[in-house]
Amino acid sequence: MIVCKFGGTSVATADQIRKVVDIVTSDSNRKIVVVSAPGKRFSDDTKVTDLLIQLANKALANEDTEQALSAVVDRFRGISEELGLDGAIIEEIETDLRDRLAKDKVDTLLYMDRLKAAGEDNNAKMIAAYFQLLGMESHYVSPKEGGLLVSDRPERVRALPEGDERLAKLRDLPGIIVFPGFFGYTNDGTIRTFNRGGSDITGSIIAAATGAELYENFTDVDSVFAANPTVIENPVAIEKMTYREMRELAYAGFSVFHDEALIPAFLKSIPVCIKNTNNPSAPGTLIVKERDYNEQQVIGIAADSGFTTIYVDKYLMNLEIGFGRRLLQIFEEEEISYEHTPSGIDNLSIIIRTRYLPEEKEKKIVARIHQELEPDAVIVEHDYSMIVLVGEGMQYTTGLAARAASAIARTGCNIEMINQGSSEVSLVFGVKKNDETKILKELYKEFFVQSTVQL
Amino acid sequence: MIVCKFGGTSVATADQIRKVVDIVTSDSNRKIVVVSAPGKRFSDDTKVTDLLIQLANKALANEDTEQALSAVVDRFRGISEELGLDGAIIEEIETDLRDRLAKDKVDTLLYMDRLKAAGEDNNAKMIAAYFQLLGMESHYVSPKEGGLLVSDRPERVRALPEGDERLAKLRDLPGIIVFPGFFGYTNDGTIRTFNRGGSDITGSIIAAATGAELYENFTDVDSVFAANPTVIENPVAIEKMTYREMRELAYAGFSVFHDEALIPAFLKSIPVCIKNTNNPSAPGTLIVKERDYNEQQVIGIAADSGFTTIYVDKYLMNLEIGFGRRLLQIFEEEEISYEHTPSGIDNLSIIIRTRYLPEEKEKKIVARIHQELEPDAVIVEHDYSMIVLVGEGMQYTTGLAARAASAIARTGCNIEMINQGSSEVSLVFGVKKNDETKILKELYKEFFVQSTVQL
């Protein structure tokens, strides 16, 4: 049995939904279909979820909501009419939206969540109706009924394993199950959404709970590439990689698949396949637990700019038990999460994503370090990029670090930081932002262009 | 004005003390002489400090001390007779030792400190007497009188800056000042010793307090070498290096100069020269604040085995604010100091000196990590070596990391860890202990043998 999830662009128009139906019906193993809300039809278009946020904001500001409501209903109407559905589904969607709008506004987060979830929820109903129109048995199942239970923290919603037993029964329902992505219910029946892109998470939870043979994630790209196509012309496609490799690439800016969505699949070892709705015959990228790393030691190269380093130097630092812990505690108390903490003998650098470090926080943290730790020096550097070389072969292959460092040396750029730990699948280089593209190109040449020529 | 310190082997015999006198008198700037207790005369010999520890232990166990006392007095007598001093100095030394032995034993640490300090203290008196015998003005100054004030923590004695004003006056005293190393007094007059090798610290404190032009540290080697002479045949001598470079080399096993001894000199920018009592015309190694790193980018290579790594892996670790801090806190609470914490995206390794990690502590820490942090995996690896490439040129020179990694690749050995932070003067490679020597030799060849041939 296959769980397949279709993202926003895959369900943005009637034509796209017809492709979804073709894909689902072409393989009888495709049993559970998780859908996003209709996304963009063209680059300047507005996603239904964003229309719903505008609608909720108007309602919360007690402004007139009719126009904003029509914008949402019209998107669904356009699709449903083109699919040949009768007016009943649009009436049902409009009634549902008016119900949500009429709810109490005291808990604004809850009010917002309830409206945001309407995009996926109503889209799932509409797509189930379309399968039925085509003469297939198909059922919309709501997350409440299906058992998608989530934790009670509005800002950090996580799926609860208690729901798994009920979700597992989706497998036994007759026909094609259409399930809305993006939201679930707490134990007391309160609706909560995951963060943006959360439909990926819904699909992964269901695939894990039902013990699916495969979780297919349909997007609008043929595969995950070995490097960013906006920097490297025609990068090679990744055919197969491990969860860990995907995670490392995602960390450094590969945004094909939601970070958290990998967890449920990873925990139950469900293979994940990234595929293209617009080109379903392309093999896509398969994400699995293990692969033969001898075939391809390095799987991809990612780069992400926008890091800041805070370098702290104190003579005989490493004789002070607790120095590192106290330094990290300052960051924790200021609620700043950090990425890496490479250390020398008397120094420690904290590497942070600049967007998580507002200027006043930076000043406060530097002041606290001076006051509480009495270092010899604190140096802050902005415009730092991290280049991550990813591959399961990394830890077993002699000389990969040398090849990477030599490739960087050929560019004439300086390596500011190197980080490689034991048992790792990545090698991280800190470089100046200005050098990022040049280095990325040379590394790609070293690990992808040369090897295809030589082998 | 020069402060010079003579280590144990430099004052072990009458012949050696004659060399000390020759050195001191050959340059009238050599004004303050700090001395250790007499050290080993031959490889199986026992240092006076060790004889004193044996004596103190017998006294604390209420055993007969006469024989152990004689062993100490006889060492001094042998030297003083050969130097032609009269019997008065030996009487004075024996009386001093008997006074110390007769003190209260309730505070065993204090009792031990008092006896240990007798080696340096009496040696300083004897050497001052020898200068006088030769017709020179010379004075023994005790740390109490001189103002060497220390903190009150017996196990972690540190010099207090309050003493500096009095110490500065040593400069104005007439003649050659002979000052015992290794101990000082707290504000309430209690004697405390530094840890072993602490005479280096005494010399550095006095050099800093008096604003000496130079602090000469006389030992039994011509200079600091670029690599360990027991591994590399005839390594090149280091003529000049910075405090930071010395610190990094000392960290990884270069035991020429006491770690803490560099601090006072470093803070006041007093140049330190490591010289050989047995070959004083050799230029030695000069340690300064800055050097021209273009002349020699890499100054030395050190290696130290006996490390353990504890690798902790948890999916989405880097989204958990406080994970790193909580992990380090476990080590702090268990009083285990760590060396490095290289991190990947979902993993963190803690590198510890194995000798600081008893087996039961290791088990407890691993159990606590499992219980408190719920990681996916905790892997402990012993027999880890750290190879440190040191040089001020490191941070400015493109390609050094590539050359180092390529040299290691040539050995066929694997790099387990690489750590290089911003603004650093070192590059640290974690390797398997078995590979250490092979890698060290190849790195030496890369950075020292080739460059002397090519340039």
Side-chain angles (χ1 to χ4, degrees), chain A residues 63-240:
Chain A
E63 293 173 19
D64 181 65
T65 55
E66 281 309 307
Q67 208 184 335
L69 176 62
S70 293
V72 178
V73 175
D74 288 351
R75 275 296 301 275
F76 282 108
R77 181 177 292 118
I79 298 171
S80 89
E81 282 177 357
E82 223 186 302
L83 290 174
L85 289 163
D86 63 27
I89 186 73
I90 292 306
E91 265 176 52
E92 190 183 336
I93 290 172
E94 186 168 346
T95 305
D96 172 78
L97 288 167
R98 288 195 185 275
D99 278 355
R100 293 177 199 246
L101 280 171
K103 297 274 184 191
D104 188 273
K105 295 173 188 163
V106 176
D107 184 343
T108 55
L109 274 176
L110 173 60
Y111 191 84
M112 181 59 86
D113 266 357
R114 206 185 277 122
L115 271 163
K116 282 198 304 195
E120 276 75 7
D121 207 19
N122 287 301
N123 205 27
K125 289 176 199 165
M126 186 173 73
I127 290 170
Y130 182 56
F131 274 111
Q132 291 156 11
L133 180 72
L134 296 175
M136 284 171 266
E137 179 166 13
S138 176
H139 303 277
Y140 153 81
V141 175
S142 86
K144 194 175 226 166
E145 183 191 340
L148 207 156
L149 287 179
V150 297
S151 59
D152 201 24
R153 282 185 58 190
E155 268 121 60
R156 206 173 168 146
V157 173
R158 294 271 179 281
L160 296 176
E162 298 100 280
D164 285 4
E165 214 173 305
R166 269 164 69 201
L167 283 173
K169 291 181 183 150
L170 291 176
R171 215 180 157 124
D172 307 322
L173 294 181
I176 293 162
I177 306 305
V178 187
F179 199 102
F182 190 40
F183 69 100
Y185 287 84
T186 64
N187 268 312
D188 65 3
T190 309
I191 194 169
R192 295 264 184 251
T193 61
F194 295 115
N195 46 31
R196 280 307 278 270
S199 293
D200 285 356
I201 307 178
T202 303
S204 185
I205 291 166
I206 294 176
T210 58
E213 283 76 61
L214 181 63
Y215 170 34
E216 289 178 330
N217 201 283
F218 283 90
T219 62
D220 49 10
V221 292
D222 274 0
S223 65
V224 180
F225 296 106
N228 186 345
T230 65
V231 179
I232 306 294
E233 213 177 320
N234 293 319
V236 299
I238 299 175
E239 288 172 29
K240 194 194 265 188

Side-chain angles (χ1 to χ4, degrees), chain B residues 47 115 131 237 308:
Chain B
K47 295 175 181 179
L115 271 163
F131 273 111
T308 294

